[in-house]
Amino acid sequence: MPVEAPQWTDFLSCPICTQTFDETIRKPISLGCGHTVCKMCLNKLHRKACPFDQTTINTDIELLPVNSALLQLVGAQVPEQQPITLCKAKKCVEELALYLKPLSSARGVGLNSTTQSVLSRPMQRKLVTLVHCQLVEEEGRIHAMRAARSLGERTVTEFILQHQNPQQLSSNLWAAVRARGCQFLGPAMQEEALKLVLLALEDGSALSRKVLVLFVVQRLEPRFPQASKTSIGHVVQLLYRASCFKVTKRDEDSSLMQLKEEFRTYEALRREHDSQIVQIVMEAGLRIAPDQWSSLLYGDQSHKSHMQSIIDKLQTPASFAQSVQELTIALQRTGDPANLNRLRPHLELLANIDPSPDAPSPTWEQLENGLVAVRTVVHGLVDYIQNHSKKGADQQQPPQHSKYKTYMCRDMKQRGGCPRGASCTFAHSQEKLEKFRKMNKRLVPRRPLSASLGQELPQNLLTFQIIVHMERTVAGEVLHIHLIKT
């Protein structure tokens, strides 16, 4: 019976015995299907098949190579003797695996929230998939080529994200949605509108658009006075574009709309709704990270996986090449000061890899070229983030400004979501607001009274400034100064 697959973040330990890999008895052995098990557990298997997906192991276990990329991450001694045909390809994987090193502060520790890496979470996940690929068997090499292509495609997306202006992102996004005759009303209001559409049509009723819109508006008005027939009509149009309705045309009368059976639950309807918005935005040439999508559509960070799955599902074999073209346009717009155009041949090579499961096994030369290409573009991304990207510098050096997160984010208050996500310099909740205000009181140095008095300001303005400053430090001194001045 298959064993439940492990979490991708637990990549430094055997998923069967949960013990950390080492160079002695628990050597990491990757199988052709992409799962990795320690050698001790592998030798205890009753049948020669992967315990997770039951894929047959065609190579003798003793001949399967140790995953040296994982060994180096746990600080173990990496064996030097390797087949010549594997050397260059394995070297590329080992070099890429080093980007996972900061994520494991101790042996046996996988990814955790307290450690930081220059690579984003989606990049880390795709890199872990590549590290688990086994290159001896044909199936493993096919997996490695697909993983390299997927990692390269995500790298292009990261480059595009780095070249977008986060201040203009929200306005550009909703402008693209409105250009299609659709609208998003904010996380809370949009959720209620969708639930009311479902309430009206979940029993299979067929209503005209006008009647449906009026029903939703009347139910929304007590909680959301700003609800209008125009705005709700645009929400219905969004669902219409997503093909959620079965439309029946009538002679000399309005068409009737009936909700298709597969969308008569909130989860199914909401997923199709979200997919339509993401598709519109992607067609407009915008790229938005899953955490930003979660903030924009739900007003929180708990729907990142949901949004990532939608983004992945919308990807097609042609999406990679299209993204490369969009990156080229972005580089032309900025002048390409980091000379990222040099990566284009490598990106085009990766885009030409066949991602289908039925793809033929690559030759050793094709495998090496693919892994060298993905290593080059990932190195280029890391170099850009560390040395050229303002966003990367901001992430590595948290703002020290005394007002950092001491005021509520306007986008979060007005729209219920913020396109800047975790990188926003304003607070997204009352809890965060209070936390950083307390930190600010401890961290901001007190100004000497003599320095304040030495400023050449009108006397009444001087008094006001002293009082405000002291209010933000020690309350007792506010009262003392105020009494003296009056």
Side-chain angles (χ1 to χ4, degrees):
M1 185 175 178
V3 181
E4 185 179 355
Q7 293 289 326
W8 71 272
T9 49
D10 300 324
F11 62 93
L12 294 183
S13 57
C14 173
I16 297 179
C17 65
T18 68
Q19 298 297 312
T20 305
F21 294 123
D22 59 40
E23 70 272 32
T24 54
I25 59 175
R26 300 195 185 279
K27 297 177 181 178
I29 306 295
S30 293
L31 306 177
C33 58
H35 293 112
T36 303
V37 182
C38 76
K39 194 165 188 177
M40 176 179 283
C41 292
L42 209 53
N43 285 321
K44 292 180 181 178
L45 295 177
H46 296 295
R47 54 190 296 260
K48 205 175 175 183
C50 173
F52 301 104
D53 57 20
Q54 301 301 302
T55 301
T56 303
I57 303 173
N58 298 315
T59 306
D60 191 287
I61 292 175
E62 295 300 322
L63 298 179
L64 290 174
V66 176
N67 192 318
S68 54
L70 289 176
L71 276 184
Q72 69 177 359
L73 290 178
V74 297
Q77 187 68 33
V78 178
E80 295 184 1
Q81 293 183 350
Q82 298 175 359
I84 297 176
T85 52
L86 281 175
C87 278
K88 191 172 182 180
K90 287 179 72 69
K91 188 69 175 175
C92 291
V93 177
E94 289 171 6
E95 288 183 21
L96 286 171
L98 291 176
Y99 290 122
L100 298 171
K101 189 79 172 178
L103 302 168
S104 50
S105 56
R107 289 181 62 165
V109 179
L111 307 188
N112 56 72
S113 58
T114 60
T115 53
Q116 289 187 348
S117 170
V118 69
L119 296 179
S120 67
R121 193 83 166 173
M123 285 287 291
Q124 296 163 20
R125 183 168 190 166
K126 293 181 184 298
L127 181 51
V128 168
T129 301
L130 179 60
V131 168
H132 279 302
C133 291
Q134 182 253 91
L135 306 180
V136 170
E137 297 177 321
E138 284 190 0
E139 184 185 9
R141 293 196 289 275
I142 294 173
H143 275 290
M145 289 295 278
R146 286 164 57 189
R149 185 188 192 277
S150 180
L151 184 58
E153 185 169 11
R154 181 64 208 184
T155 304
V156 176
T157 301
E158 294 286 331
F159 275 126
I160 294 174
L161 288 171
Q162 290 288 334
H163 283 79
Q164 285 181 163
N165 186 339
Q167 279 71 37
Q168 297 177 353
L169 184 61
S170 181
S171 58
N172 291 342
L173 186 158
W174 302 129
V177 173
R178 285 193 297 271
R180 304 297 180 92
C182 306
Q183 193 169 349
F184 186 80
L185 310 174
M189 190 172 172
Q190 194 84 355
E191 180 178 342
E192 287 300 314
L194 292 176
K195 287 181 177 178
L196 289 171
V197 169
L198 191 61
L199 179 64
L201 302 177
E202 64 182 346
D203 60 352
S205 300
L207 301 176
S208 68
R209 182 188 294 244
K210 182 178 180 180
V211 172
L212 178 61
V213 168
L214 284 173
F215 171 80
V216 175
V217 171
Q218 288 172 1
R219 293 296 187 96
L220 273 181
E221 277 182 335
R223 281 193 60 195
F224 301 97
Q226 69 271 33
S228 66
K229 288 185 288 185
T230 301
S231 61
I232 300 304
H234 289 161
V235 174
V236 173
Q237 176 65 17
L238 186 62
L239 297 176
Y240 179 81
R241 281 185 58 85
S243 301
C244 294
F245 298 117
K246 180 181 178 182
V247 180
T248 304
K249 294 186 177 181
R250 300 186 296 176
D251 294 336
E252 300 180 359
D253 207 345
S254 301
S255 300
L256 295 178
M257 298 194 302
Q258 185 181 31
L259 203 58
K260 293 180 180 177
E261 286 190 27
E262 60 266 34
F263 302 123
R264 292 180 187 175
T265 63
Y266 178 73
E267 291 73 19
L269 185 66
R270 183 63 198 247
R271 184 177 181 85
E272 202 65 21
H273 163 275
D274 295 349
S275 298
Q276 184 62 31
I277 292 181
V278 173
Q279 184 175 344
I280 289 173
V281 170
M282 292 178 70
E283 289 173 355
L286 297 172
R287 293 294 182 272
I288 300 177
D291 58 333
Q292 293 176 311
W293 272 122
S294 182
S295 294
L296 288 165
L297 299 187
Y298 291 90
D300 57 40
Q301 293 287 307
S302 60
H303 293 79
K304 291 187 289 186
S305 298
H306 165 72
M307 297 309 303
Q308 182 64 61
S309 67
I310 289 175
I311 294 170
D312 292 341
K313 189 176 180 180
L314 289 173
Q315 298 289 345
T316 65
S319 299
F320 194 167
Q322 181 183 347
S323 296
V324 173
Q325 285 295 113
E326 291 171 3
L327 176 60
T328 303
I329 295 171
L331 295 178
Q332 291 172 350
R333 189 170 59 246
T334 60
D336 192 15
N339 191 25
L340 295 179
N341 206 46
R342 73 186 189 280
L343 302 176
R344 183 165 181 172
H346 301 286
L347 292 172
E348 290 176 344
L349 186 150
L350 293 169
N352 288 328
I353 294 175
D354 187 354
S356 66
D358 301 326
S361 176
T363 64
W364 285 107
E365 182 181 2
Q366 289 173 330
L367 179 67
E368 287 182 3
N369 290 340
L371 293 177
V372 168
V374 74
R375 179 189 62 182
T376 303
V377 298
V378 173
H379 283 349
L381 174 64
V382 172
D383 175 70
Y384 180 83
I385 292 174
Q386 291 178 334
N387 300 314
H388 303 281
S389 170
K390 189 172 182 290
K391 294 182 182 179
D394 291 343
Q395 290 172 1
Q396 293 174 11
Q397 298 178 354
Q400 299 298 316
H401 194 278
S402 62
K403 294 185 179 180
Y404 179 66
K405 292 191 184 291
T406 56
Y407 292 93
M408 280 296 291
C409 173
R410 185 172 59 185
D411 285 329
M412 185 63 72
K413 286 172 65 177
Q414 295 179 353
R415 299 175 179 270
C418 174
R420 292 170 291 280
S423 62
C424 183
T425 57
F426 294 89
H428 285 176
S429 67
Q430 190 64 31
E431 181 184 355
K432 289 282 186 185
L433 186 68
E434 293 174 358
K435 174 186 173 183
F436 281 94
R437 281 184 175 176
K438 287 179 181 178
M439 290 174 57
N440 183 52
K441 288 180 180 179
R442 292 196 300 267
L443 295 175
V444 174
R446 291 172 51 189
R447 290 177 60 193
L449 183 60
S450 58
S452 297
L453 293 172
Q455 295 180 4
E456 296 182 2
L457 294 169
Q459 187 64 30
N460 58 346
L461 182 58
L462 175 63
T463 303
F464 175 75
Q465 288 191 342
I466 293 173
I467 291 173
V468 170
H469 173 72
M470 300 310 290
E471 277 181 346
R472 294 186 177 179
T473 55
V474 183
E477 290 183 293
V478 173
L479 179 61
H480 181 65
I481 292 173
H482 182 71
L483 289 173
I484 289 174
K485 299 302 291 183
T486 55

